[in-house]
Amino acid sequence: MSGFGTLAKVLALSFIRDKTAVFFTILFPLMFLVLFGVLFTDHGTSKAHVVQVGEVTVLDQLPQTAKTDLKGSLSVTKESGPLQPQLRKVRDGDYDAVVSEKDNQLAVYYSEADQVRSATVRGVLESVVQSANIAASGNVPRYGLNTHRVEDKSIQPIQYQTPGLLGWAISMSAVFGASLTLVEWRRRKVLRRLQLAPVSLAAVITARVGVSIAIALVQGVIFVGIALLPAFGLQLTGDWWLAIPLIICATLAFFAIGLLAGSFAKSAEGASGISNLIVLPMAFLSGAFFPLDSAPAWLRSLSEVFPLKHLVDSMRNVFVRSADLATILPDAALLLAFAAVAGAIAVKLFRWDDV
Amino acid sequence: MRVPVNGSTQTIEANDIAKSYGSVKAVDGVSLSVSEGEFFGILGPNGAGKTTTLEILEGLRQPDRGRATLFGLPVWPRNLKLLPRIGVQLQASAFFERLTAREQIRTFASLYGVKTAKADAMLETVGLADQADTRTERLSGGQTQRLSLACTLVHDPELVFLDEPTAALDPQARRNLWDLLRGINSSGRTVVLTTHYMDEAETLCDRVAIMDAGKILRVDAPAVLMRDLHRAVHVSVAHGTISLEAAAELPGAAQVSDDGVSLTISTTQPAVLLTELVQRQSLTDLQVKGPTLEDVFLELTGREYRA
Ligand SMILES: Nc1ncnc2c1ncn2[C@@H]1O[C@H](COP(=O)(O)OP(=O)(O)O)[C@@H](O)[C@H]1O
Ligand SMILES: [Mg+2]
């Protein structure tokens, strides 16, 4: 196809020279990776802080092994003196609860401001009291409890975050790349000029598609490469390479969205506006930033129309659950079908010039 | 200018082409034919329909009615076989973003399957070798026009369309470009140029079509157009030599104007008028000018020419 190579080279050159585009394509998503890493990997904050006022027998006489276990979920600060000043600290949010004891009765004062923490504190202290009761009765506990996590021990939030953020980054650069090229080339009369050269429309479009796919793959390599650093701790297991065909299928779908946006917009500002209007809601509704599990059912069904949802879901299947080819095939097929339909409409709407 | 051999196909043939935008008749029934090797001009004020006419001839727009052929081949729908034979410089120059002059022309060369060396040579021809590594955005107006022309010519087209190539250039740059354009034509190419400058049409074109409000009013060689105009010799003398009222009374005076520097009398009987002026000894800074294309336009439309 004559013109494909020439135009692809032009597009690649003008992308590399466009500092804004490079920033939004590569650096901006990486900033989010760092931000999310800071937000979600600090486990220390999930511990509850409790003030013990005076003597509390069940806590003071806890066996050493139980004490170590307890430290995982509660940190206990001992205070003497009146109760009131300590209660104020709970009310102010400095501590999660106050514990004191009178005549073998444990009193727990908590605040409902943080319901999860207060429930943790009550649950933990209740089990402490129960074990103490059993021990006092002299009986040997008949039932025991052992907990096991089903996933591999290595699974960290980064395994979920990488597919989400990478998917969002790819959708952004593919949609914006297609719509801005189309609008700018039309506005600068470059399309008119190409219409006069022996170049087919197919060559123009495939050159842009080719460059978009190349950019998406470069994004993937850089993003995953950085996530693999010990600071982030991403692990590649199983058929991780399945992410590559998924990224290609999804880029085609995003590209078609960009072409549609570019067919309607008249200016670069208009194209950016329409692209943003599509990409941002799509990113939130596809669970790229945080999971949609608690969203209403209708919203979750709505999210199925977005190609990003299928890219993020299938890449998570690959990165978190070591999915194989058969598992991701339906998502890949959906992405391709989306690209075909949206792309066909976009080609129908294609104009070489504004009028 | 080559004279067409009878019976051979014309390089350009347009038959009653028309195009409206809403209620605006941009082109309203234009017919013309241009033969091989000719330098053909379309002259008219802004909004006359020059660009739309070219766009139809180039196959960029479908006319509402009528038909246009280049080398005997229909221009619509888009014909990839025809395109390498024509070169078009659009009214607004069209360049890729963030590329240097050299990259632009090499890109266009490559789209037409032309070698890189040829592209670099063309850059040299239009005098842009020193600006080869400059991004197009930073070129001056004249340099941009010359690069645009180079990109139009890089594939050696037989027929060249130029839409107001010298608009917005300073006089020196315009004259330089004229030399380039003459060179293109004398190397055997057919050139069609639109302009709203009278002097440009007069100096460059073998034949000029005068266009206004979507219609071509007349087509002929500039000299013929002016010779056929049996009026309007402009006689001017220094301001203050003779009063406006007195001038209007002179025998043969058709129209009188005074711009503060000189007083101009238009006449169809220059002999009578000049004799009278000699007798009055009112000849300070005397100048006599023949009719211009402006007069042709006035004659054809009844309106003063305003670009
Ligand atoms: N794309 C368009 N949409 C609407 N009107 C147009 C368009 N192009 C040209 N026109 C109108 O058609 C007329 C002829 O325009 P044009 O061919 O550009 O004239 P010229 O090149 O002689 O200045 C003008 O009145 C112009 O406003
Ligand atoms: Mg014009």
Side-chain angles (χ1 to χ4, degrees):
Chain A
M1 197 157 28
S2 125
F4 168 82
T6 310
L7 293 175
K9 197 170 135 195
V10 166
L11 283 164
L13 255 184
S14 76
F15 168 75
I16 292 169
R17 289 179 185 172
D18 184 356
K19 293 192 183 66
T20 317
V22 172
F23 171 79
F24 277 108
T25 307
I26 310 282
L27 287 181
F28 190 54
L30 285 177
M31 281 163 51
F32 272 70
L33 187 72
V34 173
L35 192 69
F36 274 51
V38 172
L39 284 179
F40 293 114
T41 51
D42 187 9
H43 292 293
T45 54
S46 63
K47 219 161 159 185
H49 296 273
V50 174
V51 187
Q52 173 186 342
V53 180
E55 303 237 313
V56 176
T57 326
V58 287
L59 287 178
D60 294 341
Q61 293 178 2
L62 216 52
Q64 196 51 49
T65 50
K67 245 184 198 155
T68 328
D69 279 354
L70 194 66
K71 275 207 181 112
S73 45
L74 282 191
S75 81
V76 180
T77 314
K78 288 193 183 171
E79 295 281 352
S80 50
L83 198 57
Q84 282 308 327
Q86 306 305 332
L87 289 185
R88 182 163 321 121
K89 285 186 189 162
V90 174
R91 231 173 262 125
D92 293 347
D94 297 338
Y95 285 99
D96 296 307
V98 170
V99 195
S100 68
E101 191 196 79
K102 203 175 178 191
D103 307 331
N104 284 347
Q105 290 297 311
L106 216 62
V108 179
Y109 305 89
Y110 64 91
S111 154
E112 268 300 272
D114 188 338
Q115 301 185 354
V116 178
R117 290 268 177 83
S118 67
T120 311
V121 171
R122 280 177 290 156
V124 169
L125 290 176
E126 204 171 312
S127 75
V128 167
V129 171
Q130 272 178 14
S131 333
N133 278 336
I134 292 168
S137 73
N139 290 339
V140 178
R142 183 179 302 164
Y143 304 106
L145 177 67
N146 292 309
T147 58
H148 303 279
R149 183 173 173 179
V150 292
E151 295 106 351
D152 192 299
K153 277 252 167 41
S154 69
I155 288 182
Q156 298 287 327
I158 187 78
Q159 303 291 126
Y160 296 90
Q161 287 158 8
T162 305
L165 291 176
L166 176 58
W168 163 66
I170 288 172
S171 72
M172 190 164 58
S173 63
V175 172
F176 277 80
S179 68
L180 285 178
T181 299
L182 190 55
V183 168
E184 273 299 281
W185 278 19
R186 203 189 294 122
R187 197 184 59 79
R188 300 172 133 256
K189 303 286 170 197
V190 169
L191 281 183
R192 256 269 185 271
R193 189 63 187 75
L194 290 177
Q195 193 187 359
L196 289 161
V199 175
S200 65
L201 176 56
V204 177
I205 292 182
T206 48
R208 181 61 250 193
V209 171
V211 172
S212 284
I213 289 177
I215 292 174
L217 292 175
V218 168
Q219 283 179 297
V221 168
I222 294 181
F223 207 82
V224 169
I226 291 200
L228 281 171
L229 295 176
F232 296 101
L234 179 72
Q235 306 277 331
L236 289 183
T237 53
D239 298 330
W240 60 267
W241 56 268
L242 284 173
I244 295 169
L246 282 172
I247 286 175
I248 294 175
C249 296
T251 304
L252 291 174
F254 299 141
F255 180 83
I257 294 180
L259 277 189
L260 278 176
S263 307
F264 290 110
K266 289 257 195 276
S267 63
E269 291 76 18
S272 296
I274 297 179
S275 301
N276 259 323
L277 217 58
I278 297 167
V279 171
L280 264 188
M282 175 167 80
F284 280 103
L285 291 178
S286 301
F289 301 130
F290 30 76
L292 277 185
D293 304 337
S294 52
W298 65 267
L299 204 61
R300 272 179 288 151
S301 328
L302 176 69
S303 75
E304 296 292 326
V305 308
F306 293 116
L308 182 55
K309 169 79 159 67
H310 299 280
L311 173 65
V312 170
D313 275 2
S314 55
M315 274 210 293
R316 281 198 180 133
N317 272 333
V318 170
F319 279 54
V320 178
R321 288 181 273 277
S322 302
D324 57 6
L325 182 63
T327 324
I328 61 139
L329 228 41
D331 277 318
L334 267 167
L335 288 171
L336 287 180
F338 185 100
V341 173
I345 300 174
V347 168
K348 269 261 176 298
L349 292 175
F350 177 87
R351 289 168 287 123
W352 292 96
D353 202 357
D354 285 325
V355 215
Chain B
M1 173 180 167
R2 288 181 217 172
V3 181
V5 183
N6 240 0
S8 74
T9 52
Q10 295 281 305
T11 303
I12 302 176
E13 206 49 271
N15 205 336
D16 192 31
I17 53 174
K19 174 84 194 169
S20 299
Y21 296 108
S23 61
V24 179
K25 289 181 174 170
V27 177
D28 189 11
V30 163
S31 300
L32 53 84
S33 69
V34 177
S35 47
E36 194 189 333
E38 201 174 1
F39 202 131
F40 188 84
I42 302 180
L43 171 71
N46 274 325
K50 305 182 294 295
T51 298
T52 311
T53 304
L54 279 201
E55 286 173 341
I56 292 171
L57 297 180
E58 294 153 359
L60 288 176
R61 264 183 219 287
Q62 182 174 24
D64 297 340
R65 65 161 204 267
R67 204 176 107 93
T69 59
L70 300 183
F71 315 107
L73 302 168
V75 294
W76 187 271
R78 191 166 176 246
N79 182 350
L80 289 185
K81 291 245 167 10
L82 200 52
L83 295 175
R85 301 178 68 183
I86 69 171
V88 173
Q89 182 176 5
L90 297 170
Q91 182 160 7
S93 51
F95 292 121
F96 296 99
E97 315 95 291
R98 294 179 285 278
L99 295 196
T100 65
R102 195 201 323 265
E103 287 163 347
Q104 299 281 4
I105 192 164
R106 283 186 178 180
T107 299
F108 283 110
S110 154
L111 288 176
Y112 287 90
V114 171
K115 291 208 178 62
T116 307
K118 177 85 191 301
D120 294 350
M122 185 56 84
L123 214 50
E124 195 100 27
T125 308
V126 297
L128 284 178
D130 289 343
Q131 281 76 33
D133 294 316
T134 307
R135 296 249 183 116
T136 349
E137 293 85 351
R138 304 210 188 94
L139 294 177
S140 74
Q143 291 168 340
T144 305
Q145 286 292 6
R146 275 182 283 149
L147 177 61
S148 179
L149 192 63
C151 292
T152 300
L153 299 175
V154 73
H155 60 287
D156 233 333
E158 301 160 54
L159 168 61
V160 181
F161 291 97
L162 308 162
D163 198 356
E164 305 212 9
T166 65
L169 293 189
D170 60 66
Q172 186 55 46
R174 270 180 80 205
R175 258 155 240 282
N176 290 344
L177 204 64
W178 284 357
D179 289 339
L180 267 173
L181 298 181
R182 281 196 196 97
I184 296 168
N185 181 237
S186 56
S187 65
R189 294 187 188 88
T190 311
V191 179
V192 177
L193 160 136
T194 74
T195 181
H196 61 246
Y197 296 117
M198 298 285 178
D199 54 345
E200 188 160 295
E202 207 174 317
T203 36
L204 290 177
C205 301
D206 296 322
R207 281 194 307 147
V208 176
I210 309 253
M211 188 161 192
D212 188 42
K215 286 186 158 57
I216 286 183
L217 305 173
R218 261 199 80 177
V219 187
D220 228 319
V224 176
L225 288 173
M226 289 179 287
R227 190 192 58 211
D228 289 357
L229 208 63
H230 296 296
R231 48 172 278 209
V233 169
H234 304 287
V235 177
S236 48
V237 291
H239 169 73
T241 313
I242 183 170
S243 78
L244 211 58
E245 292 76 28
E249 301 285 300
L250 293 175
Q255 221 177 7
V256 186
S257 65
D258 191 337
D259 61 7
V261 179
S262 49
L263 179 140
T264 305
I265 309 164
S266 306
T267 179
T268 50
Q269 301 154 279
V272 180
L273 180 72
L274 284 171
T275 314
E276 187 66 26
L277 283 175
V278 169
Q279 278 164 12
R280 292 176 174 232
Q281 298 198 318
S282 312
L283 294 174
T284 322
D285 293 343
L286 174 76
Q287 278 189 320
V288 180
K289 276 195 214 133
T292 62
L293 281 177
E294 251 133 11
D295 300 309
V296 177
F297 189 84
L298 180 70
E299 167 85 6
L300 290 172
T301 64
R303 284 190 293 114
E304 201 79 39
Y305 185 85
R306 263 185 217 92

